[in-house]
Amino acid sequence: MENESSDEEFDWEEVHVPEAQPFHQQFELELVPRENIEITLHTQEKKDDSKKKAAAALHAQRVLRTTCHKVHTVCLLANARVRNKWLNDELLHARLISLTPMSIQNAFAMIHKSRFPDQNKRGRLFEAAVNRLVDWWSETFFTVLPTGHIRTRTFEEVQQEIESQANGSHSIDFDDDDSERIRSVNSLMKHALMQNGTRDISSQLFTALCRALDIPARLIVSLQSVPWRSDTGKHSGGSSRKGKAPMTPGESDNSLEVNELSEIDHPNTSTSVEKGKSRQQSGGLHFHLVMEANGKEKAAPIIKLRKTRSRAASRRSTPSVVGKISKSSDPTCTPPVFWTEVFSRADSRWLPVDPIRGIVNKRHVFDPSGPQYVETSSKASRIQDNRMLYVVALEEDGFGRDVTARYARDYTAKVSKAQGLGAGPAGARKEWWERVVQSITRPYRLNRDELEDDELHNHQLTEGMPTTLAGFKDHPLYVLARHLKRDQIIDPPTELGKFRGEPVYPRSCVIFLKTAENWMRQGRIIRFGCQSMKMVKQRASTIGRQREMELALERAKTEGHSGDAGEVMQGLYAYSQTDLYRPDPIRDGIIPKNEFGNIDLYVPSMLPQGATHIPFKGIAKIAKRLGFDYAEAVTGFEFKKRRAYPVIEGIVVAAENENTIIEAYIEAEQDAEERARAKHFDQMCKRWVRLIQGLRIRDRLQMQYSSNPVEEQARDKHWQDTEIHEADEEEPGGFLTTADDVVEPFHLPSNMHKFALPGDNDQSGKVIQAAADPSSLILAEMPSHDWESQGGNGVMLIDDDPATLNRPIDVVPKTMRELAEYHAQLEETKRNEGSLPSSVEPDASSASVNTRKKTERSGVQQPSSYDSKSTPYSATKRAQSSRKRIRRPNESASGDEARTSPSKRARRRNSNVADTAPSPRVLRPRAPKSAAKAQEEHEIEEAYKRAVEE
DNA sequence: CTGCCCCAGTGGTCTTTGTAACCA
DNA sequence: GTGGTTACTTTGACCACTGGGGCA
């Protein structure tokens, strides 16, 4: 089976087969091996399959990682925005102000234009004041806790944590010691009053303080989202990290840090307190183990790890090691995740402020990949807890800006690419990030935004050449010849410098080339005499082009050009070598055509002078009919199955013919519309006629037969019993068939037709259980057909039951006449016996009467197999005649109605009085209708329903 | 040891004008 | 007779990105 279904995937082993034998014979021989012919089918190694699976899994994981990255990034951004909003709290502002020394406040207040007219001086003063504020904040006011700040986790780490949490073992918990919880602005205020918190809180509160001091301040956040790449920030195995070599301060591993902390924290012995001060300028390296006086009560006294040093110091040396502590990433000396930007009004620019380390206006100290943070990481496995990828500045009004370019080193060479500058899936990521940024961007622009954009752009320009090969790739300023694409060239080749011996060119010198054909698709033509700037191998994407190439090759071979080694080259041209294509103006109304008999109109400029494009579908016919010369306009191509299909949009004609053609076209359109409308109207009328006729018939039948309610009831009972017969008969006539159809089409339950009697022509072997005595019917034997469940009084119809097959069936009449006779006979017998159940009598009599009536009218036809089934039905009905049918007054069933539309009655009964007497009839299904007819009937039915409802 | 290069696999982009039979 | 539809046939070439492995 499997081999047959997917033989494409199997290799056919070549075996010797007698040539005269056709394939089917071989196959037979294989099946019945009379000769020694062997056909071996062997599957390809499973390797391929597993490879495919692995690749699919890989792909799925990549998608998962990317999605996680995106979701995480957005969540972090949302978190930062919420915090940023909290920072505007007035109470928080008031409290922070109240804690700030007046001297520092005054330093800002005194900077005013009136007092210092020199703008530069104001700028310097402002920066100095900020410096003082930051120094006070970082060294005196706020104490930074060593843990709890946001950090990057690798994908694997997070996954591990989730898994461990899912397993119930909360070995690593985000909530416990690893991250702080700030639930509201009150938590922030608490930290402000306690004057301690994580470095994140420090930055956030500092930002709030700046705002309180009426300094425009932004909360800057470097989003630490889960990397989408599995190897980014990877470490050599989860648990083995502990034993790893010491890390640089910058390359901190926070899980390590947590471990260390617990080692320090838990033994209460290590609670030495050291207080000290270090100024940024001092260049000293200090460790402050600060016991928090007002630390959280739940935790053991927390040791504050404090290591303040200047950048010079950090660059100069590795930190001295004090036990394990030095190994940890000290949050007070590594680049933060949150920091502040204050706006210097005098300079009209944003100053970066790191309130944790006390650094002002040094934009390069925030990138954790900076040399001062990575220099000593030689031995440690590269684990980053801070990756700079997206840096967002959140302003007081809640809007944000992407300021990554200000802080990231090698922004253009590395970070912008990491953000997804490149094509393909990375490009999609870039687009996504742009969308995210767009969603938080202020809808209008301020002057300072413009200035900042310029500044950021200049940062990129002054970034300098990349130091890696990859950095040159897609670099906005530089390009290497090796990274040029097939259709690119450097012109003029102005060399900017060398990268490992390779010339570096400015990106602006890169120009795009196209083949002459492709220029033509743009409506441009190669200027006469121009030489191609580059020769490339021709591609053959369509069969036609492939053949062309083969022919060219053949020709080249025969002519003896063996040097080309079987490659057809084509020239590429630059835009500057082309002119706008101007087709010849048309003369005498004759449209110039190409070799395919149409006209190229890829761009509007390709329209010949004196011609018009009429882009209507089907207008070619009109032009042809009118006898004007025209050409179909090819506006593009579609590609399917290695073929190019021209897209034709209307025609091109001489301008003087335009009006005539359009008028004719409109006329033709109106004509066609009129015809369509007439046709539609016609159909509509026909349907109405049918509907009205059907309704009139229905009405007439009701008028005729619904006069006597008692009689009606009896008749109804009868017809309930006997309608089964009629359904099996041919419809009496076309007119009535129509009415039937109109009034209510009937759809037979799918399982009904299965039942037939043995002894009938039907050989299906299905049996209707029947008995002369209705009481012998056993309802319980019914299989659970739908119609049984509707009322439980269905006919006993049992499939393929051997017991049923043996039942006597000779009492079953086969035709209507026989049925009538049977009823009459039955009636008589019962009358004679005098033991007729009261409920049966009217039923039986009416049945016989009506049956007779019916048989008289339509004649007895068709001793069909279905006919005979009616008897058991009526018998069953009688057996259950104790159940009274509830009839709605307008539902006056009559013999005629039943005769004309048994199906309708049945349906109505089933739908309206389903609880009383759903009559499972055994009916012959109609011949399958054509789709059109079915549709028509459906429409009619709908129309009828609407009419009846009103 | 890190960063770069190479390789394999995958996915996106570029490509740029049939014909015969059948049916309404 | 004409116009529209469908089956037929055979599944491209190239480049860039990703991830893994090796090497200077």
Side-chain angles (χ1 to χ4, degrees):
Chain A
M1 285 295 282
E2 200 182 321
N3 289 358
E4 284 172 26
S5 64
S6 59
D7 48 7
E8 272 177 26
E9 292 171 13
F10 299 94
D11 275 343
W12 291 79
E13 188 181 333
E14 284 188 18
V15 293
H16 176 72
V17 176
E19 289 193 1
Q21 292 205 333
F23 180 75
H24 67 273
Q25 280 184 7
Q26 294 169 36
F27 194 62
E28 265 176 29
L29 284 169
E30 194 256 1
L31 291 174
V32 188
R34 277 165 290 186
E35 293 175 32
N36 281 338
I37 290 177
E38 189 179 304
I39 295 176
T40 310
L41 301 173
H42 61 91
T43 60
Q44 266 181 356
E45 305 85 86
K46 293 255 169 166
K47 199 183 81 183
D48 247 8
D49 199 36
S50 66
K51 252 186 188 173
K52 251 184 197 171
K53 272 184 190 167
L58 213 67
H59 178 74
Q61 211 193 1
R62 202 155 54 224
V63 171
L64 176 71
R65 280 201 300 258
T66 312
T67 311
C68 284
H69 173 79
K70 289 179 181 174
V71 171
H72 194 198
T73 307
V74 171
C75 289
L76 286 168
L77 183 58
N79 171 55
R81 290 190 79 195
V82 170
R83 294 276 171 106
N84 181 55
K85 201 177 159 192
W86 289 348
L87 300 188
N88 292 333
D89 188 77
E90 283 183 11
L91 190 57
L92 177 66
H93 283 187
R95 286 189 163 155
L96 285 168
I97 285 280
S98 71
L99 294 165
T100 310
M102 272 315 285
S103 60
I104 292 174
Q105 294 184 41
N106 289 337
F108 288 103
M110 63 177 283
I111 305 170
H112 195 265
K113 208 180 262 182
S114 57
R115 197 185 286 242
F116 301 100
D118 181 12
Q119 192 179 347
N120 291 333
K121 182 157 194 192
R122 284 205 308 277
R124 282 198 302 277
L125 280 171
F126 178 75
E127 195 173 330
V130 172
N131 256 315
R132 277 185 67 195
L133 179 68
V134 169
D135 283 349
W136 164 77
W137 179 274
S138 62
E139 282 155 30
T140 319
F141 181 72
F142 203 84
T143 312
V144 174
L145 303 179
T147 61
H149 51 267
I150 289 176
R151 65 184 179 87
T152 288
R153 288 175 165 85
T154 64
F155 189 82
E156 285 73 17
E157 201 182 331
V158 175
Q159 212 169 23
Q160 235 177 352
E161 287 177 39
I162 291 168
E163 277 168 16
S164 65
Q165 290 206 0
N167 293 340
S169 59
H170 293 248
S171 57
I172 312 167
D173 199 333
F174 289 115
D175 299 334
D176 284 354
D177 54 352
D178 205 8
S179 61
E180 65 184 346
R181 276 193 172 178
I182 302 294
R183 288 199 168 79
S184 70
V185 68
N186 291 334
S187 306
L188 283 176
M189 277 188 242
K190 199 172 92 183
H191 280 287
L193 295 174
M194 285 176 357
Q195 302 181 12
N196 76 5
T198 62
R199 67 177 185 191
D200 299 346
I201 294 297
S202 174
S203 296
Q204 288 160 19
L205 288 176
F206 184 80
T207 310
L209 173 60
C210 290
R211 288 179 187 171
L213 291 168
D214 198 28
I215 308 165
R218 289 160 153 183
L219 180 67
I220 312 296
V221 55
S222 167
L223 303 176
Q224 301 297 312
S225 36
V226 179
W228 62 84
R229 286 188 59 155
S230 58
D231 61 345
T232 310
K234 75 178 166 192
H235 41 67
S236 47
S239 58
S240 65
R241 278 180 291 160
K242 251 197 234 177
K244 281 274 173 183
M247 315 183 56
T248 44
E251 297 300 304
S252 61
D253 173 7
N254 214 27
S255 64
L256 191 60
E257 177 186 307
V258 172
N259 290 333
E260 284 158 4
L261 186 80
S262 57
E263 281 173 45
I264 300 161
D265 270 354
H266 292 304
N268 287 344
T269 52
S270 58
T271 53
S272 62
V273 180
E274 185 187 331
K275 269 218 165 189
K277 274 190 181 177
S278 74
R279 297 197 68 81
Q280 184 192 331
Q281 293 82 2
S282 71
L285 182 65
H286 301 269
F287 289 90
H288 304 274
L289 294 172
V290 180
M291 190 179 84
E292 293 300 318
N294 45 0
K296 293 172 189 170
E297 59 283 355
K298 70 163 187 177
I302 294 167
I303 295 125
K304 189 196 170 202
L305 269 165
R306 184 132 191 206
K307 184 169 59 179
T308 310
R309 57 177 182 168
S310 73
R311 288 179 298 121
S314 66
R315 219 180 266 128
R316 193 173 60 229
S317 66
T318 53
S320 58
V321 173
V322 182
K324 290 176 177 180
I325 298 160
S326 66
K327 285 196 296 184
S328 79
S329 63
D330 185 350
T332 58
C333 67
T334 53
V337 168
F338 284 94
W339 64 94
T340 308
E341 270 181 11
V342 293
F343 189 70
S344 170
R345 291 186 174 99
D347 297 335
S348 291
R349 67 190 190 92
W350 293 95
L351 304 180
V353 177
D354 180 353
I356 303 122
R357 293 176 293 175
I359 303 170
V360 177
N361 199 11
K362 301 270 194 294
R363 67 184 176 97
H364 282 306
V365 301
F366 295 94
D367 190 340
S369 67
Q372 64 267 40
Y373 305 113
V374 297
E375 62 177 12
T376 53
S377 64
S378 56
K379 286 196 172 179
S381 62
R382 297 283 321 265
I383 305 159
Q384 301 183 335
D385 74 345
N386 185 355
R387 296 187 320 124
M388 183 171 276
L389 188 52
Y390 312 106
V391 184
V392 179
L394 297 165
E395 307 205 13
E396 270 171 83
D397 54 9
F399 293 112
R401 287 171 63 80
D402 181 5
V403 291
T404 317
R406 176 174 292 144
Y407 297 102
R409 299 169 47 80
D410 302 326
Y411 173 73
T412 39
K414 278 186 181 168
V415 178
S416 69
K417 289 195 182 85
Q419 281 186 357
L421 192 76
R429 212 158 45 223
K430 178 79 182 176
E431 196 180 288
W432 160 80
W433 174 240
E434 277 169 357
R435 254 195 358 254
V436 171
V437 171
Q438 192 57 44
S439 69
I440 58 164
T441 302
R442 193 184 286 109
Y444 51 94
R445 285 172 72 82
L446 305 172
N447 185 39
R448 66 186 191 197
D449 293 340
E450 307 282 352
L451 290 171
E452 188 176 26
D453 279 347
D454 288 346
E455 185 197 335
L456 294 181
H457 184 65
N458 286 336
H459 285 167
Q460 290 184 44
L461 296 185
T462 56
E463 208 174 65
M465 269 190 206
T467 51
T468 62
L469 192 65
F472 279 100
K473 214 169 181 184
D474 298 320
H475 195 281
L477 299 177
Y478 310 105
V479 66
L480 298 176
R482 66 158 76 192
H483 289 142
L484 286 176
K485 295 199 171 69
R486 196 179 94 115
D487 59 347
Q488 287 178 332
I489 197 174
I490 292 165
D491 183 66
T494 44
E495 199 176 312
L496 291 177
K498 295 259 187 201
F499 174 74
R500 298 181 195 165
E502 260 182 80
V504 178
Y505 302 101
R507 178 67 70 179
S508 55
C509 289
V510 173
I511 55 172
F512 284 80
L513 308 175
K514 280 181 196 297
T515 61
E517 259 185 341
N518 280 352
W519 279 123
M520 184 49 104
R521 311 266 175 244
Q522 311 268 306
R524 300 193 72 82
I525 193 165
I526 310 296
R527 201 174 297 135
F528 181 74
C530 278
Q531 294 291 310
S532 61
M533 298 185 87
K534 196 177 181 182
M535 293 296 284
V536 293
K537 216 166 76 178
Q538 192 179 2
R539 291 179 188 171
S541 286
T542 59
I543 290 172
R545 193 46 76 88
Q546 203 171 13
R547 283 181 195 144
E548 233 171 73
M549 275 172 67
E550 277 165 9
L551 276 176
L553 268 180
E554 202 77 13
R555 211 178 305 125
K557 267 183 197 167
T558 51
E559 284 170 19
H561 301 301
S562 53
D564 300 62
E567 285 191 356
V568 180
M569 304 297 278
Q570 66 185 156
L572 298 180
Y573 301 86
Y575 179 86
S576 58
Q577 293 178 297
T578 62
D579 286 324
L580 197 65
Y581 171 64
R582 288 266 171 226
D584 295 333
I586 60 164
R587 290 197 190 90
D588 308 327
I590 305 296
I591 308 295
K593 299 176 192 67
N594 61 21
E595 52 185 310
F596 303 100
N598 45 38
I599 185 166
D600 297 325
L601 198 67
Y602 308 115
V603 287
S605 66
M606 294 175 80
L607 190 69
Q609 209 180 350
T612 314
H613 180 213
I614 313 176
F616 303 141
K617 197 175 149 82
I619 199 160
K621 251 189 295 186
I622 308 294
K624 193 176 184 181
R625 207 174 59 204
L626 294 175
F628 292 127
D629 187 57
Y630 71 97
E632 289 184 306
V634 176
T635 55
F637 289 91
E638 269 179 20
F639 297 93
K640 274 182 247 167
K641 300 173 185 173
R642 295 194 65 197
R643 285 211 179 93
Y645 299 94
V647 175
I648 289 170
E649 277 180 31
I651 57 169
V652 172
V653 290
E656 64 260 28
N657 300 334
E658 182 191 4
N659 285 340
T660 321
I661 293 176
I662 287 182
E663 272 166 24
Y665 178 74
I666 290 169
E667 207 173 298
E669 284 288 291
Q670 283 171 346
D671 241 34
E673 205 176 307
E674 191 59 42
R675 259 181 281 131
R677 199 182 297 131
K679 195 178 168 188
H680 187 238
F681 183 76
D682 202 37
Q683 284 178 341
M684 218 163 61
C685 288
K686 275 184 187 163
R687 286 175 193 151
W688 272 110
V689 166
R690 293 188 76 182
L691 174 64
I692 300 301
Q693 281 176 343
L695 288 173
R696 283 173 64 188
I697 291 162
R698 178 176 173 273
D699 209 34
R700 185 167 56 81
L701 294 177
Q702 283 182 344
M703 294 278 283
Q704 197 168 343
Y705 293 102
S706 65
S707 49
N708 186 349
V710 181
E711 195 184 324
E712 177 207 349
Q713 194 184 11
R715 202 162 40 228
D716 172 54
K717 276 239 178 289
H718 164 73
W719 280 110
Q720 198 181 354
D721 295 344
T722 54
E723 65 190 13
I724 197 161
H725 302 252
E726 299 149 7
D728 295 338
E729 293 165 16
E730 289 282 296
E731 297 289 353
F735 180 77
L736 288 178
T737 306
T738 306
D740 177 17
D741 279 349
V742 169
V743 173
E744 192 154 340
F746 177 74
H747 301 288
L748 189 71
S750 58
N751 56 353
M752 286 308 192
H753 67 282
K754 290 198 295 186
F755 305 109
L757 284 175
D760 282 331
N761 290 337
D762 191 329
Q763 297 299 313
S764 62
K766 308 293 192 294
V767 165
I768 297 176
Q769 177 187 343
D773 183 1
S775 61
S776 72
L777 294 172
I778 304 156
L779 290 170
E781 278 183 29
M782 285 299 296
S784 60
H785 290 301
D786 288 347
W787 42 268
E788 183 203 19
S789 59
Q790 284 167 8
N793 53 356
V795 193
M796 300 282 85
L797 303 172
I798 295 172
D799 294 9
D800 297 332
D801 186 352
T804 351
L805 279 165
N806 295 330
R807 280 176 189 275
I809 51 152
D810 50 344
V811 290
V812 178
K814 288 190 173 181
T815 65
M816 295 303 289
R817 182 168 293 164
E818 284 172 288
L819 180 73
E821 285 166 2
Y822 167 73
H823 275 294
Q825 192 187 335
L826 206 68
E827 204 178 333
E828 192 152 353
T829 325
K830 279 174 183 167
R831 203 176 294 135
N832 294 344
E833 285 171 0
S835 61
L836 192 68
S838 59
S839 62
V840 169
E841 187 169 19
D843 184 20
S845 60
S846 71
S848 68
V849 166
N850 272 318
T851 309
R852 210 173 298 123
K853 197 189 276 176
K854 152 112 182 98
T855 40
E856 281 163 16
R857 196 172 300 177
S858 62
V860 181
Q861 314 98 343
Q862 294 181 320
S864 80
S865 60
Y866 292 94
D867 233 350
S868 51
K869 271 172 274 161
S870 53
T871 303
Y873 174 65
S874 58
T876 311
K877 282 317 293 179
R878 232 172 297 124
Q880 298 159 358
S881 53
S882 56
R883 296 191 193 193
K884 294 289 176 197
R885 282 193 72 224
I886 301 162
R887 270 208 156 268
R888 299 204 316 202
N890 64 342
E891 200 186 336
S892 51
S894 68
D896 265 346
E897 182 200 350
R899 199 171 65 86
T900 51
S901 62
S903 54
K904 173 194 161 196
R905 282 206 313 153
R907 258 182 64 179
R908 190 142 28 105
R909 222 173 275 146
N910 279 346
S911 55
N912 293 345
V913 282
D915 54 326
T916 56
S919 50
R921 291 159 305 273
V922 182
L923 300 175
R924 183 178 53 203
R926 292 228 173 92
K929 288 164 186 158
S930 71
K933 198 177 174 196
Q935 169 71 18
E936 194 184 350
E937 284 187 0
H938 178 73
E939 283 171 14
I940 289 164
E941 187 180 2
E942 289 296 314
Y944 165 73
K945 275 184 186 164
R946 279 196 298 274
V948 166
E949 275 165 15
E950 284 165 8

